[in-house]
Amino acid sequence: MTNEQHRPHVLLVVSHPDHDSASWALTRAVEQGIRSEGGTEVTVHDLTATGFDPVFTAADLAVHRLRGDVPADVAREQRLVESAEVLAVLFPVYWWSMPALAKGWIDRVLSRGWAYENSATATGSAIEELHFLGLAGVGEGSYTRRGYKDAITLQLQHGIAGYSSIPHSSVELLYGTETSDPAAHEELAAQAYKLGVDLAQRAQAAFDRKAE
């Protein structure tokens, strides 16, 4: 799908029900970083507000088995993804993984024949850039000692993006989001802003590749 705005576009998919949370504060910082580049558009896609159903049903299974049509709600999400050069999924880390809403969105929207094993694309996926932004409540030390960062990266970057033959992907974690220290919140916001700048630059590069 051609970007109707004819400008680089980042789709930022967010899974958190509380707009006063640290997750949404950092979402806004990422959004500001994207917009700071000037030439990049961003769509913040709130999965809770849209009422997206994360439950993988018999209809989704039929799509996986290449025996059925993509459900209408999934098709809408896929069109939204196709409108962007870069897809970023932002979520709080629950039990060392994604919340059910974000994981269900991945399960249903990144369907077979579209996100992977897609013979219509040169890469095998309709998605060129997929980046995961995880917000960790505890400090980096816990993740380092127990290997949590490696485990999450293996699951998301290799198990999802790599399996789908998505050419460009990454996993970034922001640590210590449950702190009440204002200085720490400022530092986290600065880190999130920089991640937004990077996403904007990635979108511009992908946009330029399409124009070649």
Side-chain angles (χ1 to χ4, degrees):
M1 179 176 178
T2 302
N3 186 346
E4 295 177 356
Q5 296 162 321
H6 303 292
R7 299 172 67 185
H9 182 200
V10 177
L11 175 62
L12 183 59
V13 176
V14 184
S15 175
H16 198 289
D18 182 5
H19 279 244
D20 292 326
S21 64
S23 292
W24 273 99
L26 296 177
T27 294
R28 290 186 284 271
V30 171
E31 181 183 7
Q32 289 168 3
I34 295 170
R35 294 191 187 279
S36 71
E37 290 296 281
T40 304
E41 295 290 334
V42 57
T43 297
V44 178
H45 190 41
D46 182 349
L47 293 182
T48 301
T50 64
F52 179 79
D53 185 353
V55 177
F56 192 89
T57 67
D60 299 298
L61 182 59
V63 173
H64 177 72
R65 291 173 172 170
L66 305 179
R67 297 176 184 171
D69 295 329
V70 175
D73 62 336
V74 171
R76 286 193 297 270
E77 299 295 306
Q78 291 178 346
R79 289 194 296 270
L80 185 59
V81 172
E82 289 171 350
S83 75
E85 279 69 41
V86 169
L87 168 62
V89 181
L90 186 149
F91 58 93
V93 177
Y94 290 174
W95 296 107
W96 319 118
S97 187
M98 290 180 163
L101 181 56
K103 182 56 167 59
W105 188 85
I106 293 286
D107 289 345
R108 298 191 65 212
V109 176
L110 271 63
S111 62
R112 184 181 181 190
W114 181 79
Y116 63 99
E117 295 181 20
N118 184 347
S119 60
T121 70
T123 62
S125 178
I127 303 168
E128 184 176 357
E129 297 254 0
L130 173 58
H131 304 283
F132 297 96
L133 310 180
L135 310 180
V138 299
E140 186 174 3
S142 294
Y143 279 69
T144 301
R145 286 193 303 274
R146 296 178 171 87
Y148 293 147
K149 173 66 185 296
D150 291 341
I152 291 173
T153 299
L154 181 65
Q155 176 195 15
L156 301 181
Q157 187 172 8
H158 301 288
I160 296 175
Y163 181 82
S164 300
S165 298
I166 294 171
H168 307 281
S169 65
S170 67
V171 175
E172 298 287 348
L173 296 180
L174 297 179
Y175 300 98
T177 60
E178 292 184 358
T179 181
S180 58
D181 180 359
H185 282 294
E186 289 182 8
E187 175 58 28
L188 284 166
Q191 293 174 28
Y193 183 92
K194 290 178 181 178
L195 290 175
V197 171
D198 179 66
L199 290 173
Q201 292 172 348
R202 288 178 177 274
Q204 180 64 65
F207 187 83
D208 292 342
R209 287 194 297 269
K210 288 182 180 180
E212 292 176 353

